[in-house]
Amino acid sequence: MHVMQRDFQVTMQLLQLVLLHSAWEMGSGQLHYSVPEESQHGTFVGRIAQDLGLEVDELVPRMFRMVSKEHKDYLEVNVQNGILFVNSRIDREELCAQSHICIINLEVILDKPLRVFHVEVEIRDVNDNAPIFSENEEILSVAESTLSGAHFPLEGASDADVGVNAQLKYRLSSTEYFAVEEKINDRHSKSLVLVLKKSLDREKIPVHHLVLTATDGGQPELTGTVHLEVTVMDANDNAPVFNQSVYKVKFLENVADGILVIHLNATDLDEGMNKELYYYFSKHVSPNVKNIFSIDTHTGEIRVKGKVDYEDINLYDIEIEVKDKGIPPLSGHCNVIVDVMDMNDNIPELSVTSLSVPVPEDSPPETVVALISVSDKDSGSNGQVSCSLWPPGLPFKLVSTFKNYYSLALNETLDREMITEYQLVVTVQDQGVPSLSATVRLVIPIGDVNDNAPAFAQPSYTVFLKENNPPGAHIFTVSATDPDMAENALISYWIDENLWPLSSYISVHSESGKLYALQPLDYEELKLLEFQVSAKDAGIPSLSSSVIVQVFVVDENDNAPTVSGPENAPVLLVVPLVAGQMVGKIRALDADSGYNAWLRYELHEATSGPWQVGLYSGEISTTHVLNEMEGDGSSQNLLVLVKDHGKPIRSATATLSVSLVVTTQASHTDGHHSRVGGSPKPFAENTNVYLIVAICSVSSLFLLAIIVYMALRCQCQPKEGVVHGPGTATLVCASEVGSWSYSNRHSHILAGATGEAGAKNDLMVFSPNIPAFVENGKVKNGKEMALNASGQVSLWKGFSFFHLALLCY
């Protein structure tokens, strides 16, 4: 019958454990394993990778790791096969003391992406601890006058195991006088007593030697023993008695030393010495209790003398013994139950178990940045905590994941170029009165991704460069900026090398953006280089942008005037000649442009005679009337200097040979024609008519040209500026021009975008000052060159009236 009852109890206990295990797994929603304590190293616990739905070959790349806040080395995972095994000896009693359920909480963390799993490993108890009595021998004194049925408290054995393994049964060695019993008091706790079954006779047996054996309920059973020595005493037949067997006291933890806990009072019906009482802590009281409480042996006052901490022990069961001074002395017993009430005296604890920084700026919302665990040693509302984030408005949020675990996750997208790092304060606060809190400061840097292309300060650049520059001259520097960092902001520059022959004129330094002219540029051959410079960062993938660069070649006075037509051709003139009559015309051209091509004509100082030359027309005419007396048939050589307006001035000379013939010689001609200044012989008869017609034509055309010029001047409006160097280029109107000049030559524009080149016959408006230009890589100040809407030098195309007037000569 006894065996069947024990089997039934074991079955019920196993059923309770199974139900508790199932409820635990349903409540936690995570993995739950169990392993017996004292398991050897390498003992299999579970296939954790398989149970979590993970592939074994992804454990190492995803940085699989297992974190245990309090129990770091008991369990380990083999990342080669995903098996959870015992790493070191586990003593359940050392780990969880007398707790019925012993759990090791594990956090399984994987990165890329970050995931966390919670695993509970229950440590099952094995019967590895035998019952132990605090002493090997216990001595009792019992008066022979004690009646049958009297109880004498005994100290029971303790078993460090739990459950069935800690359920103890006691048996006493064979005797007819005593028996051992377990009593259940009003606190529903068991106490062990020695019961007197038969009256004692000191003269027959003065001392009884007994053996008390405790047996646990484990398999196999383990036992512990204590020797009892019961001395039979004579006389003093009234023992002290407390007014109640159990006293209950409540007070808050952290009370000051010396505070009165309770004042005990016992009575004795005897007289004299047998009535004088002394109060003691029972020898069964642990030293820890004696370090916290003290008792006055004469008054029975119990006071606090040490630190009372609810988190250490919240309930004290103190056994008090009172003895009289009789011979032999008699004693009484009572229990004082001290219930310690909790105060909010523990600050919540906050720890960051995982922090993944820096956070890439392209991380999507809900990305987990950190894992945070919180705890509070207090109980009730004093131990209930909440977690918050400060300051508000940041792109982060706290998400409760499991019990007292939180994850710090992104709440919105990030931009490193706006904010490079965030400083957060995570606060945990309990609900006690007054409330206590703890904080931790997190610095979260933002990682850069290549999301910004290099940017130039302006969409295009205009550069003015004097011709005949030295090879390899630095003419300009383009610069782009990238708000990214590191290699994402490392910029390189290049020009499309496929645009030949552009690559033979211009190059760019890949790191500095400096533009170099690879060969001297000739304004007479090339006026404009237009190309595109691209900037690319070193990010993956790389981003790029481009800018248009226009290099205008500025003319220098590097060409001397050239006289067209044969020199020293003789000119025959028939005298008399009227004053101001044109006798010839010097035609010269200059390959330069602007002031450098504006020519003027002068007679050499050595030239004498009645001659003059038009300052800008090159027309040679008489200064006064020539009569027959001056026409002696001799010839004169007129030396004409042709100069430009450049700096330095360049010049050329032309010689005109003039022969004068008097009228009488002309009268003897035979009617045949001969060459006189390129005209038929009867030149004198038609000279006046030709001169009048020429003068009228020139005057009319010149007047018409002035009218057209004034109309164009009135229509000329300033246009939008084009950036060049430190300033902007604006349209220069005709009123600002010092003079006109015609350049009959080829004009070339080399554009990197189209590769086209064209020839033009242009009438150009120019300013007396040189426009801004680049020399040796430096932008120099000057008047702004006239530009059209596309950023090129403004030109009037076509054949002007002034050009027609010049051709009439």
Side-chain angles (χ1 to χ4, degrees):
M1 184 66 180
H2 178 71
V3 174
M4 293 180 62
Q5 184 178 4
R6 186 179 65 181
D7 292 341
F8 176 77
Q9 291 178 351
V10 172
T11 304
M12 292 300 295
Q13 290 175 350
L14 291 175
L15 181 60
Q16 289 176 356
L17 288 175
V18 172
L19 293 175
L20 181 62
H21 179 271
S22 301
W24 182 268
E25 285 192 331
M26 294 176 61
S28 65
Q30 302 292 328
L31 292 181
H32 182 89
Y33 299 105
S34 65
V35 63
E37 66 171 329
E38 304 295 339
S39 297
Q40 298 296 322
H41 172 77
T43 301
F44 174 85
V45 178
R47 301 184 182 276
I48 189 169
Q50 178 179 340
D51 296 338
L52 291 176
L54 303 174
E55 297 295 332
V56 175
D57 56 359
E58 71 175 330
L59 299 183
V60 174
R62 294 187 61 185
M63 298 178 64
F64 179 95
R65 61 188 185 278
M66 187 173 66
V67 178
S68 177
K69 181 177 179 183
E70 299 176 352
H71 317 294
K72 297 183 178 179
D73 59 350
Y74 288 137
L75 300 168
E76 189 56 68
V77 175
N78 188 339
V79 296
Q80 304 300 323
N81 54 24
I83 293 177
L84 179 66
F85 64 94
V86 175
N87 187 41
S88 62
R89 173 181 171 272
I90 303 176
D91 188 349
R92 185 190 183 284
E93 289 70 34
E94 178 183 354
L95 186 64
C96 299
Q98 296 295 316
S99 298
H100 288 280
I101 298 177
C102 184
I103 299 294
I104 294 180
N105 291 305
L106 304 175
E107 291 179 21
V108 176
I109 301 174
L110 293 96
D111 292 333
K112 303 177 183 178
L114 179 64
R115 293 189 64 188
V116 58
F117 303 91
H118 297 278
V119 179
E120 295 176 339
V121 178
E122 180 182 358
I123 308 303
R124 299 195 306 272
D125 183 50
V126 297
N127 193 25
D128 58 339
N129 291 281
I132 299 175
F133 290 91
S134 61
E135 296 179 355
N136 295 328
E137 186 179 30
E138 188 170 356
I139 300 176
L140 301 175
S141 297
V142 179
E144 63 178 336
S145 59
T146 304
L147 299 178
S148 300
H151 292 177
F152 302 93
L154 296 175
E155 181 184 9
S158 62
D159 195 323
D161 297 320
V162 295
V164 176
N165 297 330
Q167 292 182 359
L168 304 181
K169 296 179 181 180
Y170 298 90
R171 67 177 183 272
L172 194 62
S173 59
S174 179
T175 177
E176 60 179 339
Y177 292 97
F178 297 96
V180 66
E181 292 180 4
E182 287 183 279
K183 298 292 185 178
I184 299 178
N185 56 25
D186 55 353
R187 305 190 308 275
H188 301 287
S189 62
K190 293 181 179 181
S191 60
L192 187 65
V193 294
L194 184 67
V195 181
L196 181 62
K197 298 170 57 179
K198 183 179 178 181
S199 299
L200 300 174
D201 186 357
R202 181 179 180 278
E203 286 70 29
K204 185 178 180 180
I205 304 176
V207 178
H208 295 265
H209 295 279
L210 306 174
V211 177
L212 177 62
T213 302
T215 305
D216 62 21
Q219 294 293 333
E221 295 179 345
L222 300 178
T223 61
T225 60
V226 63
H227 295 277
L228 301 178
E229 183 179 303
V230 181
T231 301
V232 181
M233 297 181 299
D234 199 274
N236 194 17
D237 54 354
N238 288 291
V241 177
F242 288 97
N243 58 359
Q244 61 187 69
S245 60
V246 177
Y247 297 88
K248 293 184 179 180
V249 181
K250 287 186 178 182
F251 62 88
L252 290 172
E253 63 176 326
N254 302 325
V255 294
D257 292 350
I259 294 296
L260 178 64
V261 178
I262 191 172
H263 187 183
L264 298 176
N265 186 27
T267 59
D268 194 320
L269 299 178
D270 294 326
E271 294 293 336
M273 294 291 292
N274 294 331
K275 190 176 183 178
E276 293 183 13
L277 304 179
Y278 289 94
Y279 299 88
Y280 304 93
F281 285 124
S282 172
K283 59 183 177 181
H284 305 149
V285 175
S286 68
N288 183 42
V289 175
K290 295 178 180 180
N291 292 331
I292 297 176
F293 300 98
S294 65
I295 186 170
D296 191 313
T297 58
H298 299 288
T299 64
E301 291 181 350
I302 298 178
R303 295 182 179 272
V304 175
K305 74 171 186 178
K307 182 180 179 180
V308 180
D309 192 347
Y310 175 88
E311 285 69 42
D312 291 340
I313 301 176
N314 55 26
L315 184 68
Y316 295 91
D317 188 348
I318 306 173
E319 185 176 336
I320 305 298
E321 182 178 1
V322 60
K323 290 184 179 181
D324 58 26
K325 291 184 178 182
I327 299 174
L330 299 179
S331 62
H333 301 81
C334 74
N335 289 83
V336 178
I337 307 300
V338 180
D339 188 2
V340 181
M341 294 181 293
D342 184 41
M343 290 182 64
N344 193 25
D345 59 340
N346 289 281
I347 298 176
E349 296 179 359
L350 179 66
S351 63
V352 179
T353 59
S354 179
L355 181 62
S356 300
V357 291
V359 181
E361 61 178 321
D362 60 347
S363 300
E366 307 301 329
T367 299
V368 176
V369 177
L371 297 177
I372 300 171
S373 62
V374 297
S375 61
D376 195 316
K377 293 181 179 179
D378 294 321
S379 62
S381 60
N382 296 330
Q384 294 179 2
V385 296
S386 60
C387 213
S388 62
L389 193 63
W390 187 90
L394 296 182
F396 297 93
K397 62 180 179 179
L398 284 174
V399 180
S400 178
T401 57
F402 178 77
K403 293 182 179 178
N404 287 335
Y405 290 91
Y406 293 84
S407 62
L408 180 64
L410 286 180
N411 195 32
E412 57 187 66
T413 57
L414 303 172
D415 188 352
R416 190 204 64 83
E417 286 68 45
M418 295 183 64
I419 300 178
T420 58
E421 73 173 21
Y422 292 89
Q423 295 189 2
L424 310 177
V425 177
V426 181
T427 302
V428 57
Q429 186 174 19
D430 61 28
Q431 299 181 12
V433 179
S435 177
L436 300 178
S437 63
T439 61
V440 63
R441 184 178 297 274
L442 299 178
V443 178
I444 302 179
I446 306 304
D448 183 51
V449 297
N450 193 26
D451 57 347
N452 291 280
F456 291 93
Q458 55 194 61
S460 64
Y461 294 95
T462 301
V463 182
F464 294 93
L465 176 64
K466 283 187 176 182
E467 65 175 328
N468 303 319
N469 57 281
H474 171 220
I475 62 173
F476 193 66
T477 300
V478 294
S479 179
T481 58
D482 195 320
D484 293 323
M485 63 182 296
E487 64 275 0
N488 296 332
L490 186 61
I491 299 176
S492 58
Y493 304 88
W494 83 94
I495 300 175
D496 191 353
E497 295 295 336
N498 295 326
L499 297 176
W500 189 90
L502 179 64
S503 59
S504 63
Y505 287 94
I506 296 293
S507 70
V508 62
H509 192 278
S510 62
E511 295 180 1
S512 64
K514 291 183 176 181
L515 296 173
Y516 296 95
L518 300 180
Q519 61 180 343
L521 300 180
D522 188 356
Y523 176 83
E524 288 70 41
E525 296 296 331
L526 184 66
K527 292 185 179 62
L528 172 64
L529 285 172
E530 185 176 25
F531 53 91
Q532 181 173 283
V533 177
S534 297
K536 178 176 67 174
D537 59 34
I540 299 176
S542 62
L543 302 176
S544 62
S545 62
S546 59
V547 67
I548 298 297
V549 179
Q550 295 176 321
V551 179
F552 287 92
V553 182
V554 179
D555 183 47
E556 285 191 320
N557 193 24
D558 58 344
N559 291 281
T562 58
V563 179
S564 61
E567 297 187 26
N568 300 321
V571 177
L572 294 179
L573 298 178
V574 180
V575 294
L577 294 176
V578 298
Q581 180 175 339
M582 185 182 72
V583 297
K585 181 179 177 67
I586 301 300
R587 289 184 175 86
L589 295 176
D590 195 316
D592 295 320
S593 65
Y595 271 104
N596 297 329
W598 186 22
L599 304 180
R600 61 183 178 182
Y601 303 84
E602 300 175 359
L603 286 176
H604 195 270
E605 294 178 355
T607 302
S608 62
W611 314 108
Q612 64 181 6
V613 64
L615 181 60
Y616 299 111
S617 64
E619 297 174 352
I620 300 176
S621 60
T622 58
T623 58
H624 59 270
V625 177
L626 295 181
N627 52 34
E628 293 84 348
M629 296 300 294
E630 295 177 304
D632 57 358
S634 63
S635 63
Q636 298 184 22
N637 290 327
L638 305 182
L639 183 60
V640 179
L641 295 178
V642 183
K643 300 180 180 179
D644 59 26
H645 284 71
K647 292 182 180 180
I649 297 175
R650 296 183 180 273
S651 63
T653 59
T655 304
L656 181 66
S657 179
V658 179
S659 297
L660 300 178
V661 180
V662 298
T663 307
T664 55
Q665 292 176 336
S667 62
H668 297 288
T669 58
D670 56 1
H672 297 283
H673 297 284
S674 63
R675 299 292 296 174
V676 180
S679 301
K681 276 190 174 182
F683 178 82
E685 299 175 358
N686 300 322
T687 297
N688 293 334
V689 176
Y690 293 155
L691 289 175
I692 292 172
V693 171
I695 291 171
C696 292
S697 300
V698 170
S699 300
S700 301
L701 293 176
F702 181 73
L703 180 62
L704 182 59
I706 293 298
I707 295 173
V708 173
Y709 163 69
M710 293 300 294
L712 292 175
R713 177 184 176 185
C714 293
Q715 294 177 356
C716 181
Q717 298 293 335
K719 295 186 178 180
E720 183 178 357
V722 178
V723 175
H724 68 99
T728 58
T730 56
L731 182 64
V732 180
C733 297
S735 61
E736 301 173 352
V737 178
S739 180
W740 296 79
S741 175
Y742 173 72
S743 177
N744 184 16
R745 52 186 168 71
H746 294 290
S747 301
H748 299 281
I749 297 179
L750 182 61
T754 61
E756 298 178 354
K760 301 177 183 178
N761 291 325
D762 300 330
L763 183 64
M764 180 177 294
V765 177
F766 63 91
S767 171
N769 295 324
I770 298 176
F773 61 94
V774 174
E775 185 175 16
N776 296 327
K778 298 181 179 179
V779 179
K780 295 187 176 181
N781 293 328
K783 272 215 168 182
E784 297 166 334
M785 179 171 282
L787 302 176
N788 59 19
S790 64
Q792 299 178 1
V793 178
S794 299
L795 304 173
W796 279 276
K797 300 179 181 179
F799 206 74
S800 72
F801 290 101
F802 184 59
H803 187 197
L804 290 173
L806 293 176
L807 292 181
C808 289
Y809 291 95

